[in-house]
Amino acid sequence: MVKLRVYYDLEDSRFRNQYLEKGLETLLPSLPALEKLALDQGVLVSVPKKVPSCLLVKLKLVEISEFENDRDCIEKASYILKNGGALQKLMIQMPTESYSLYEEKKMKISRTLQHLDCLI
């Protein structure tokens, strides 16, 4: 597993790099003070087996852009919801499409996440 340098003071960050080999599995453990995280859906490659401390006690806002309506992405968002002890807001932005299709997808994702959250 690739390890990143630990950034103890970083509280707010945006990640658009889809080339992190292990995605959140590599990223979150290296950012223990993180409170705000914005990332592209491509960073949701893999989540850590052991929940990082920042997700349990620090991370308040997560914004995921370019979110696709597929099971893998929804499971990763569910992981954040389930383990985000300090999480106040999870924002999901989908790729721009026609408005009616966008609204339909948004409602489907919302229902799926609510259902998964009830199962957790």
Side-chain angles (χ1 to χ4, degrees), residues 36-51:
K36 298 176 188 173
L37 174 64
L39 52 95
D40 279 353
Q41 175 252 309
V43 180
L44 293 175
V45 177
S46 178
V47 293
K49 289 178 178 55
K50 180 182 177 202
V51 181

Side-chain angles (χ1 to χ4, degrees), residues 97-112:
E97 298 171 356
S98 70
Y99 185 75
S100 61
L101 183 58
Y102 174 82
E103 286 299 312
E104 184 181 315
K105 278 185 161 184
K106 187 169 76 171
M107 291 305 299
K108 184 176 180 182
I109 290 170
S110 178
R111 283 191 304 270
T112 304

Side-chain angles (χ1 to χ4, degrees), residues 24 39-45 47 64-81 90 92 109 112-113 116:
L24 292 180
L39 52 95
D40 279 353
Q41 175 252 309
V43 180
L44 293 175
V45 177
V47 293
I64 304 170
S65 58
E66 299 299 317
F67 193 87
E68 293 292 332
N69 183 17
D70 65 41
R71 184 143 188 87
D72 190 51
C73 290
I74 291 173
E75 286 175 2
K76 304 275 185 344
S78 179
Y79 172 88
I80 293 169
L81 285 172
L90 172 64
I92 294 175
I109 290 170
T112 304
L113 284 173
L116 289 173

Side-chain angles (χ1 to χ4, degrees), residues 6-94:
V6 176
Y7 297 91
Y8 293 102
D9 299 331
L10 189 63
E11 294 178 359
D12 185 350
S13 194
R14 172 172 290 282
F15 291 92
R16 293 191 171 268
N17 185 350
Q18 296 183 359
Y19 303 105
L20 283 172
E21 185 178 321
K22 294 285 188 170
L24 292 180
E25 185 178 348
T26 302
L27 192 61
L28 290 180
S30 67
L31 304 167
L34 195 64
E35 293 183 1
K36 298 176 188 173
L37 174 64
L39 52 95
D40 279 353
Q41 175 252 309
V43 180
L44 293 175
V45 177
S46 178
V47 293
K49 289 178 178 55
K50 180 182 177 202
V51 181
S53 63
C54 71
L55 186 54
L56 289 170
V57 298
K58 288 283 189 176
L59 200 55
K60 296 177 184 172
L61 170 67
V62 176
E63 179 183 332
I64 304 170
S65 58
E66 299 299 317
F67 193 87
E68 293 292 332
N69 183 17
D70 65 41
R71 184 143 188 87
D72 190 51
C73 290
I74 291 173
E75 286 175 2
K76 304 275 185 344
S78 179
Y79 172 88
I80 293 169
L81 285 172
K82 175 184 172 188
N83 296 298
L87 192 65
Q88 296 172 359
K89 191 175 202 178
L90 172 64
M91 295 173 43
I92 294 175
Q93 297 177 347
M94 297 180 347

